[in-house]
């Protein structure tokens, strides 16, 4: 098999910070990817929801190549003709007032942390270096030192200290815990509307509304990390819309580029971002014209092709189909839109074996936290595609 050579090269010369399935991909179109041996698979991970628009979407590809022939990087030392347009389009789409563009999701999280700390000192009057940010157990916000400083996953933290102070951890889905944790030095609550990496953990109904109210009453900034849940994945543009609430800061990334290029952003609904003055924060590549052109096209595709509505409809249909699978080893099937998790009982012996068998059946899925498989195909998936998937998933998950 041709793939063997690439696997050997990766394993010999690369750091082993991932344990990928042994499938070597060379081409993608829509929901499908092909390996170097010519096998076709349905992508049920969508690069952790970065390719919501489908692989190599022609309109985004066109925007990328057109822009690449004109201008790719100016740095923010100069202005470019794409940045203002992206700002305006993002603000109109998400009902925000201000945008700060970065590259990776983790950088958007770091940016938010810096902004709310500064806001805490300058606006709220928190004593210097005393700002606290409340976060949730089993969170996933990225991999930098400050972000893993408030991770509760030992795999993410062990051996990486010393850590950044200033974070307080509470249980996810428990609004009372937030109310109890707030002190006069609290500046923000950072939370995922649905915990993606933790295994598609959906909070109890009313939670988002409750935390919105608590943050408003306490005078602290509510930050939603929608890097995975945003941009259509859960059947709404932003997952916060499921409860009709708006965060003060919203973090997006991943699908903001449709998978072509790392683009992330902090969206601000208040004047929090206004506290950042020239020179206090930045990024060489953040807001570059290539990224902006790609992001503009990626957003346009989401809206024009009604991928958000499709995620809702196909998600419901997929979820219903998965729930019909009978196997006492399955503990729960849950999801919102096309962010779906199938959780096995611990006795089932882990979800990885199912992912290996799904791969043989033509579907690429990845386990999370040992017992959970996430099903999150690109949002361009059709009913016929979901039927195709269910036909192959059912026998594997029934074993
Ligand atoms: C993926 C992810 C991040 C980190 O994004 P990177 O681009 O990998 O840095 C942050 N928050 C959430 C919720 C994510 O899913």
């Amino acid at each position: 098999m041709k793939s063997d050579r690439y696997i050997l090269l990766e394993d010999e010369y690369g750091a082993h910070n991932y344990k990928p399935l042994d499938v070597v991909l060379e081409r993608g179109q829509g929901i499908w990817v092909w390996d170097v041996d010519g096998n076709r698979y349905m992508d049920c991970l969508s690069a952790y929801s970065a390719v919501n628009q489908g692989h190599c979407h022609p309109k985004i590809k066109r925007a990328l190549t057109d822009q690449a022939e004109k201008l790719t990087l100016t740095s923010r030392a100069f202005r470019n003709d794409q940045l203002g347009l992206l700002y305006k389009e993002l603000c109109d789409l998400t009902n925000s007032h201000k945008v700060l563009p970065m590259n990776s999701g983790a950088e958007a999280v770091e940016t938010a942390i810096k902004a709310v700390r500064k806001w805490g000192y300058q606006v709220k009057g928190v004593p210097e270096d005393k700002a606290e940010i409340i976060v949730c157990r089993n969170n996933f916000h990225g991999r930098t030192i400050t972000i893993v400083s408030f991770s509760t996953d030992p795999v993410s933290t062990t051996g990486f200290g010393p850590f950044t102070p200033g974070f307080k951890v509470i249980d996810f889905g428990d609004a009372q815990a937030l109310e109890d944790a707030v002190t006069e030095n609290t500046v923000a609550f950072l939370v995922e509307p649905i915990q993606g990496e933790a295994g598609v953990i959906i909070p109890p109904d009313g939670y988002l509304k409750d935390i919105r109210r608590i943050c408003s009453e306490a005078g602290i900034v509510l930050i939603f990390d929608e890097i995975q849940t945003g941009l259509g994945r859960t059947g709404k543009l932003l997952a916060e819309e499921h409860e009709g609430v708006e965060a003060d800061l919203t973090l997006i990334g991943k699908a903001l580029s449709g998978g072509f290029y790392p683009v992330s952003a902090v969206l601000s609904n208040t004047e929090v971002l206004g506290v950042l003055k020239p020179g206090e924060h930045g990024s060489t590549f953040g807001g570059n014209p290539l990224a902006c052109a790609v992001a503009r096209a990626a957003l346009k595709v989401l809206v024009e092709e009604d991928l958000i509505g499709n995620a809702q409809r196909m998600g419901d249909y997929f979820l219903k189909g998965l729930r019909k699978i009978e196997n006492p080893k399955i503990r729960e099937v849950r999801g919102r839109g096309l962010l779906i998790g199938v959780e096995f009982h611990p006795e089932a012996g882990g979800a990885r074996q199912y992912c290996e068998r799904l791969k043989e059946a033509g579907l690429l899925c990845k386990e999370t936290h040992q017992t959970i498989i996430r099903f999150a195909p690109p949002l361009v998936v059709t009913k016929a595609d979901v039927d195709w998937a269910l036909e192959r998933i059912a026998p594997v998950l029934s074993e």
Side-chain angles (χ1 to χ4, degrees), residues 18 47-49 103-109 139-144 147 192-197 225-229 251 253-254 262-264 374:
Y18 278 89
Y48 302 94
S49 295
N103 312 285
S104 67
E107 286 173 304
V109 176
N139 68 73
F140 183 84
H141 298 289
R143 300 295 198 167
T144 63
I147 295 172
E192 302 156 82
I194 295 173
Q195 288 189 325
E197 294 310 299
D225 181 345
E226 295 245 21
I227 291 166
Q228 185 161 155
T229 55
L251 315 180
K254 293 197 165 114
V263 188
S264 66
R374 182 170 24 191

Side-chain angles (χ1 to χ4, degrees), residues 42-190:
M42 184 187 285
D43 182 357
C44 286
L45 184 66
S46 306
Y48 302 94
S49 295
V51 285
N52 284 358
Q53 296 88 339
H55 288 277
C56 298
H57 193 290
K59 286 186 184 150
I60 311 174
K61 184 173 71 183
R62 191 59 196 267
L64 177 99
T65 55
D66 283 355
Q67 187 61 43
E69 289 185 353
K70 288 200 288 191
L71 183 68
T72 58
L73 182 61
T74 55
S75 85
R76 295 287 305 281
F78 311 117
R79 297 180 190 263
N80 72 69
D81 71 351
Q82 294 296 310
L83 183 58
L85 296 171
L86 174 63
Y87 284 169
K88 170 83 167 84
E89 288 161 13
L90 259 178
C91 284
D92 287 350
L93 191 63
T94 62
N95 193 27
S96 306
H97 302 152
K98 289 253 176 271
V99 182
L100 199 160
M102 295 296 282
N103 312 285
S104 67
E107 286 173 304
V109 176
E110 292 268 353
T111 301
I113 291 168
K114 287 176 72 174
V116 296
R117 281 182 167 183
K118 187 132 207 172
W119 172 87
Y121 302 128
Q122 286 199 345
V123 180
K124 196 177 171 186
V126 172
E128 200 180 321
D129 290 344
K130 295 289 181 218
E132 291 168 1
I133 296 171
I134 300 171
V135 299
C136 286
R137 206 172 308 287
N138 299 324
N139 68 73
F140 183 84
H141 298 289
R143 300 295 198 167
T144 63
I145 283 291
T146 286
I147 295 172
V148 301
S149 293
F150 54 86
S151 171
T152 57
D153 174 10
V155 178
S156 296
T157 58
T158 306
F160 299 123
F163 296 114
T164 307
F167 300 95
K168 195 187 252 182
V169 179
I170 62 171
D171 282 341
F172 180 67
D174 182 351
Q176 186 60 47
L178 174 63
E179 200 148 16
D180 297 344
V182 172
T183 72
E184 58 194 5
N185 292 336
T186 305
V187 296
F189 179 41
L190 167 62

Side-chain angles (χ1 to χ4, degrees), residues 69-376:
E69 289 185 353
K70 288 200 288 191
L71 183 68
T72 58
L73 182 61
T74 55
S75 85
R76 295 287 305 281
F78 311 117
R79 297 180 190 263
N80 72 69
D81 71 351
Q82 294 296 310
L83 183 58
L85 296 171
L86 174 63
Y87 284 169
K88 170 83 167 84
E89 288 161 13
L90 259 178
C91 284
D92 287 350
L93 191 63
T94 62
N95 193 27
S96 306
H97 302 152
K98 289 253 176 271
V99 182
L100 199 160
M102 295 296 282
N103 312 285
S104 67
E107 286 173 304
V109 176
E110 292 268 353
T111 301
I113 291 168
K114 287 176 72 174
V116 296
R117 281 182 167 183
K118 187 132 207 172
W119 172 87
Y121 302 128
Q122 286 199 345
V123 180
K124 196 177 171 186
V126 172
E128 200 180 321
D129 290 344
K130 295 289 181 218
E132 291 168 1
I133 296 171
I134 300 171
V135 299
C136 286
R137 206 172 308 287
N138 299 324
N139 68 73
F140 183 84
H141 298 289
R143 300 295 198 167
T144 63
I145 283 291
T146 286
I147 295 172
V148 301
S149 293
F150 54 86
S151 171
T152 57
D153 174 10
V155 178
S156 296
T157 58
T158 306
F160 299 123
F163 296 114
T164 307
F167 300 95
K168 195 187 252 182
V169 179
I170 62 171
D171 282 341
F172 180 67
D174 182 351
Q176 186 60 47
L178 174 63
E179 200 148 16
D180 297 344
V182 172
T183 72
E184 58 194 5
N185 292 336
T186 305
V187 296
F189 179 41
L190 167 62
V191 64
E192 302 156 82
I194 295 173
Q195 288 189 325
E197 294 310 299
V200 190
I201 310 298
I202 302 170
D205 284 345
Y207 178 67
L208 302 184
K209 265 205 182 99
D210 287 345
I211 59 176
R212 173 66 278 180
R213 177 184 50 77
I214 293 164
C215 288
S216 298
E217 285 172 7
I220 63 173
V221 178
L222 175 60
I223 312 169
F224 278 147
D225 181 345
E226 295 245 21
I227 291 166
Q228 185 161 155
T229 55
L231 304 178
R233 174 52 56 190
T234 70
K236 301 277 186 195
L237 179 72
L238 298 172
E240 64 180 27
E241 293 168 32
H242 287 289
E243 293 197 14
V245 301
E246 279 183 29
D248 301 302
L249 290 189
T250 301
L251 315 180
I252 55 174
K254 293 197 165 114
L256 183 52
S257 68
F260 280 84
Y261 195 94
V263 188
S264 66
V266 178
L267 308 174
S268 174
N269 201 27
T270 60
E271 289 311 307
V272 178
L273 282 178
V275 301
L276 296 175
K277 295 287 174 291
E280 293 179 347
H281 188 60
S283 158
T284 303
F285 279 83
N288 73 72
L290 187 62
C292 293
V294 166
R296 293 179 63 209
L299 291 171
K300 205 161 165 220
V301 164
L302 270 184
V303 174
E304 280 183 0
E305 299 188 8
D306 187 30
L307 297 186
I308 302 162
N310 194 58
Q312 180 68 62
R313 291 186 295 273
M314 291 305 110
D316 287 349
Y317 184 65
F318 202 173
L319 192 63
K320 220 180 270 166
L322 288 169
R323 285 194 166 137
K324 282 193 196 132
I325 299 170
E326 286 185 31
N327 184 348
K329 289 182 196 155
I330 296 177
R331 185 172 160 191
E332 192 182 29
V333 180
R334 55 179 177 258
R336 198 150 274 170
L338 279 167
L339 186 59
I340 299 174
V342 174
E343 180 168 2
F344 290 87
H345 286 290
E347 309 82 74
R352 176 81 179 198
Q353 48 172 335
Y354 290 101
C355 293
E356 297 282 358
R357 268 180 263 152
L358 286 168
K359 186 191 97 176
E360 298 310 313
L363 294 112
L364 296 183
C365 303
K366 183 72 168 62
E367 79 280 5
T368 176
H369 284 263
Q370 263 111 66
T371 56
I372 302 157
I373 306 179
R374 182 170 24 191
F375 290 97

